Every structure is written in C-alpha cells, then in structure tokens.
C-alpha cells in the first residue's frame, strides 16, 4: 500500500510531467499544484524548487522508459534479439512524452546544464551500458568478434537505430515511414553491424 505522502508526490510528478511536456519549463508551480489537486505548499514540501521538480520529472520519465538487461537475452539468437531491441528503442523515441522529455532537456542545456546532464545519465548512458554489456558478453562467448571497444560498438548501433523516423521526430516532423518500413530498416542496421563482427 502506497503511503499518503508518496501518493501525493506521485500526483505532483505526474501532473508536472504532463504540464512540462505540454508547455516546457515555463509552467508555474501554481499550475502544477492545481492539476495535481494539492496545495502549492504541498508541492514545495516535496520539491523545494521548480528546478528540482523539473529534474525529478526528467529522471522519473527516463526510469519509466528504461531499457534494462531483461530485454537482451543471451539465450536467444543475437540477430533477432538486436532487431527486437532496435524496434523497441526506436518506438520508445517516437512516443510523444519521450520526445518532449528530450526536447525539454535540450531546451535547458544553456540555462540549466544540470538538467541535460541528468537526462543523459538517466536515459542514454544507461541504455548504452546495457547494450555494451550484452555485446561484450557475446564477444567473450565467441558469437561475435568486436573490432573495437564494446561501448563504441553499442554507440554505433544506437545511433543507427535512431534512423530517419527518430531524427525527423526530434525536429517535429513525420518521416511518413510505415511500421514495416521502420522494422526493415532496423533489420538492415543489425545485418550491417553483424557483417562487420
């Protein structure tokens, strides 16, 4: 059972996350309190400043969408596993809330560099570590032979997985690619990667 204080905190986080996604950093604490159905004093009892709340929202969103070790099984064929991972990775980046979280982090890079650093640590760095560890274990098993450091290999794959769909979406445009076309692209990325291992 969730403690009342924790429940209030989650209400605030969800409301703040929704408003930050819709309006960016300019949202006021009054607006957040109203949507969360709590007093402004309650918001400040959990989060001392808007910066702290914004940072926590970024971290919370990244943790909710985190890709962990369970998505990469060493028991399954490496090609199909990487394709499934790539499809999930790209789909995640096409979600409205994920796109807006990214834009919020980038949008504050000059005025609030700590926020973008937190996004990097909570999202991209974790995903990079998970994929690099998976590739390294396959390298040690002899399934693949990495031509360079596993982290470099993982970074190459992740950048390929973004593809046109994600890149266009980051800039507010639709690539017009179908789901089948996007999956085919991911399959081609994996084939190209494995051909060099």
């Amino acid at each position: 059972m969730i403690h009342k204080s924790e429940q209030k905190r989650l209400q605030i986080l969800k409301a703040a996350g929704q408003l930050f996604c819709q309006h960016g950093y300019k949202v006021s604490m009054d607006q957040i309190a109203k949507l969360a159905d709590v007093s402004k004093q309650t918001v400040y009892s959990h989060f001392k400043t808007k910066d702290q709340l914004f940072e926590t929202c970024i971290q919370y969103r990244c943790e909710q969408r985190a890709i962990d070790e369970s998505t990469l099984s060493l028991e399954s064929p490496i090609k199909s596993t990487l394709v499934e991972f790539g499809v999930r990775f790209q789909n995640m980046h096409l979600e409205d809330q994920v796109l807006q979280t990214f834009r919020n982090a980038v949008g504050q890079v000059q005025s609030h560099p700590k926020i973008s650093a937190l996004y990097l640590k909570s999202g991209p760095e974790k995903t990079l570590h998970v994929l690099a560890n998976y590739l390294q274990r396959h390298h040690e098993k002899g399934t693949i032979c990495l031509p360079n450091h596993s982290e470099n290999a993982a970074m190459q794959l992740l950048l390929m997985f973004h593809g046109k769909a994600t890149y266009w979406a980051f800039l507010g445009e639709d690539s017009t690619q179908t789901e089948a076309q996007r999956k085919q692209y991911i399959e081609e990325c994996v084939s190209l990667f494995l051909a060099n291992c």
Side-chain angles (χ1 to χ4, degrees), residues 61-91:
R61 181 69 63 200
C62 288
E63 287 171 355
Q64 277 190 314
R65 305 303 301 144
I67 294 176
D68 57 30
E69 301 282 358
S70 66
T71 60
L72 292 163
S73 171
L74 281 174
E75 308 307 315
S76 303
I78 187 170
K79 184 172 183 178
S80 59
T81 300
L82 286 176
V83 168
E84 287 173 19
F85 176 91
V87 168
R88 179 177 174 180
F89 178 79
Q90 191 181 83
N91 285 341

Side-chain angles (χ1 to χ4, degrees), residues 1 10 19 29 78 107 109 122 128 131-132 156 160 172 185 196:
M1 186 174 179
L10 284 173
L19 289 170
M29 294 295 252
I78 187 170
V109 73
S122 301
L128 178 63
L131 184 55
Q156 290 164 358
M160 283 198 293
Y185 167 78
N196 289 288

Side-chain angles (χ1 to χ4, degrees), residues 114-139:
K114 185 180 175 185
I115 289 171
S116 50
L118 181 71
Y119 171 83
L120 190 63
K121 185 176 181 180
S122 301
E125 280 189 9
K126 281 189 175 180
T127 305
L128 178 63
H129 176 74
V130 166
L131 184 55
N133 185 52
Y134 171 79
L135 294 175
Q136 181 61 34
R137 289 167 73 189
H138 266 296
H139 176 74

Side-chain angles (χ1 to χ4, degrees), residues 21-38:
C21 279
Q22 291 172 345
H23 308 291
Y25 190 72
K26 64 184 178 182
V27 169
S28 71
M29 294 295 252
D30 284 315
Q31 290 173 293
I32 293 167
K34 185 177 179 181
L35 186 60
D37 196 25
V38 299

